[in-house]
Amino acid sequence: MRRLVRRRWWMLAAVVAIVAGAGVAATVSATPSIVTRDRMVAGTPEQGTPVELDTTLYVPARTPAPAVLLAHGFGGSKTDLDAEARSLAEHGYVVLTYTARGFGRSGGLIHLDAPDYEVADAKDLVSYLATLPEVLTDAMGDPRVGVAGSSYGGALALLLGAYDPRVDAIGADITWSDLTQALFPNGAGPQQGGATGVFKKMWASELFASASSPVPGTSSGACGRFAPDLCAAYQEAAQTGQPDPSLVSLLRASSPIGVLDRITAPTLISQGEDDSLFTLAQADENATGIAAHGTPVRVVWRSGGHDGGTSTADLVTALEGWFDPVLLHGARPAGSFDIAVPGTGISSATGRAVAETLHATDGYPSRRTDSVQLTGAPQTVQAPAGESRRRSARSRGSAAC
């Protein structure tokens, strides 16, 4: 679950003032229409111990306005989302970014998008948004709100949509459906009642390393800020190559596949075509499961992914295009399917081959099919091709997921 890539957008100069008695830092950015406020917001207690979440609110020029809750990738923090938040705020949304429990200045331990912890925190943040005069509400305690994220944040968005009916729109990018299948692929898997497959040990070790720093002021040992039960289950899997029942149970609880039938908010699902961690099959499981119950779904198979690059501008544009009809106009969008086909288009600027995007407007899954006859002797296929080389190159860079 590679950290949602830090954005290389421009840095905006700011003047900071402290609001007396409120414990809130208010920032007026170089874009005068956007005001930001930093605040520690109460999350779900960790076995009786209070937990605070480090948040930043982006307020547009005109309010009240619909809200967007943005969730970051694993190993990241709210600062990774500043560019997207500013863009959405300039577009007219109140945006709340936050650092998930177990990371940065937020308290608590990492439970891997568990319903009782990370998802409960997100529900607390939706309730917090409902108290703000800048946020448009549909009823008492019910803000008009969309939730979006990539990877770790994308799964959070789907799970929040399943567990909190107040969510009005969802955007989930390069994330998982069944976390057991994602980390132990090519097996029947617990969702199908069979054995798990081969452990993606390198990916899992990067995940664990990116969050293994100790809790400030404590001696957390090898587990860092992971919850003890999750840490112990991971260490067992690292030694045996197989998840024990406790890890299967934890991963299942953090998997949207078990609650897709609860999602009623129109959902945008984008997945990278260059992604050995969460494959296109994970996106298809999410989209098919949500659409089966009549919820509008737009699916985008895009260039990049955990093994490739990500365009911030493209992600925000897609999100605005999906959220606007729902949050700004109260409409229910139609489902669709987009796929980027590498090398099929020609750039007018450079004359080089680029990806061409094909678009189907008859919902998802598309009702149009073509049958292709395969001939020839059986062959072994390595997917993705060159994976050892790419993973080796990535290991020399950021270890966060």
Side-chain angles (χ1 to χ4, degrees), residues 14 59 79 127 176 182 184 208 218 247 277 340 351 369:
V59 183
T79 59
S127 296
W176 68 83
F184 298 87
F208 195 83
T218 70
L247 182 56
L277 179 55
T369 61

Side-chain angles (χ1 to χ4, degrees), residues 39-103:
R39 183 170 185 173
M40 301 300 291
V41 176
T44 298
E46 185 89 43
Q47 296 190 3
T49 301
V51 169
E52 289 192 320
L53 304 172
D54 184 14
T55 75
T56 297
L57 187 74
Y58 297 73
V59 183
R62 294 184 177 181
T63 60
V68 174
L69 178 65
L70 291 182
H72 62 76
F74 197 87
S77 72
K78 66 176 187 177
T79 59
D80 298 337
L81 302 170
D82 180 70
E84 294 93 326
R86 290 187 182 277
S87 181
L88 288 165
E90 289 167 4
H91 193 69
Y93 291 108
V94 176
V95 183
L96 183 66
T97 64
Y98 71 103
T99 299
R101 70 168 53 224
F103 297 103

Side-chain angles (χ1 to χ4, degrees), residues 105-325:
R105 295 179 61 236
S106 290
L109 300 174
I110 300 165
H111 296 266
L112 214 60
D113 279 348
D116 290 339
Y117 293 97
E118 286 86 357
V119 179
D121 286 340
K123 292 173 68 175
D124 292 336
L125 293 175
V126 171
S127 296
Y128 168 65
L129 284 168
T131 68
L132 302 177
E134 298 91 346
V135 175
L136 183 67
T137 57
D138 294 321
M140 181 71 69
D142 183 4
R144 185 171 301 176
V145 61
V147 58
S150 287
S151 195
Y152 190 58
L156 185 284
L158 291 171
L159 289 163
L160 178 62
Y163 285 100
D164 194 334
R166 295 175 297 176
V167 172
D168 298 294
I170 299 169
D173 179 53
I174 57 172
T175 194
W176 68 83
S177 178
D178 183 341
L179 194 50
T180 306
Q181 274 287 322
L183 295 180
F184 298 87
N186 302 323
Q191 295 291 348
Q192 292 77 34
T196 55
V198 178
F199 186 27
K200 289 183 182 176
K201 185 175 291 187
M202 293 183 68
W203 268 121
S205 64
E206 286 189 10
L207 179 155
F208 195 83
S210 68
S212 59
S213 58
V215 180
T218 70
S219 55
S220 302
C223 289
R225 300 187 70 178
F226 279 97
D229 57 345
L230 181 60
C231 178
Y234 162 77
Q235 291 175 334
E236 177 70 17
Q239 292 179 2
T240 65
Q242 291 290 322
D244 63 16
S246 64
L247 182 56
V248 169
S249 178
L250 291 169
L251 297 182
R252 184 178 298 173
S254 299
S255 295
I257 192 171
V259 292
L260 295 175
D261 59 339
R262 302 185 188 182
I263 296 177
T264 59
T267 302
L268 167 66
I269 295 177
S270 54
Q271 203 80 357
E273 296 171 354
D274 190 14
D275 200 317
S276 60
L277 179 55
F278 304 132
T279 65
L280 297 174
Q282 296 285 320
D284 182 66
E285 284 184 344
N286 281 330
T288 303
I290 296 170
H293 300 276
T295 300
V297 177
R298 181 188 177 197
V299 176
V300 178
W301 288 4
R302 64 173 180 82
S303 301
H306 284 88
D307 296 307
T310 296
S311 167
T312 299
D314 289 348
L315 290 178
V316 171
T317 298
L319 194 63
E320 291 172 349
W322 186 252
F323 277 10
D324 285 359

Side-chain angles (χ1 to χ4, degrees), residues 1 4 26 95 116 127 166 216 256 294 302 362-363 365 374 378 386 388-389:
M1 289 162 278
L4 186 61
V95 183
D116 290 339
S127 296
R166 295 175 297 176
R302 64 173 180 82
D362 60 339
L374 301 179
S388 295
R389 174 182 56 80

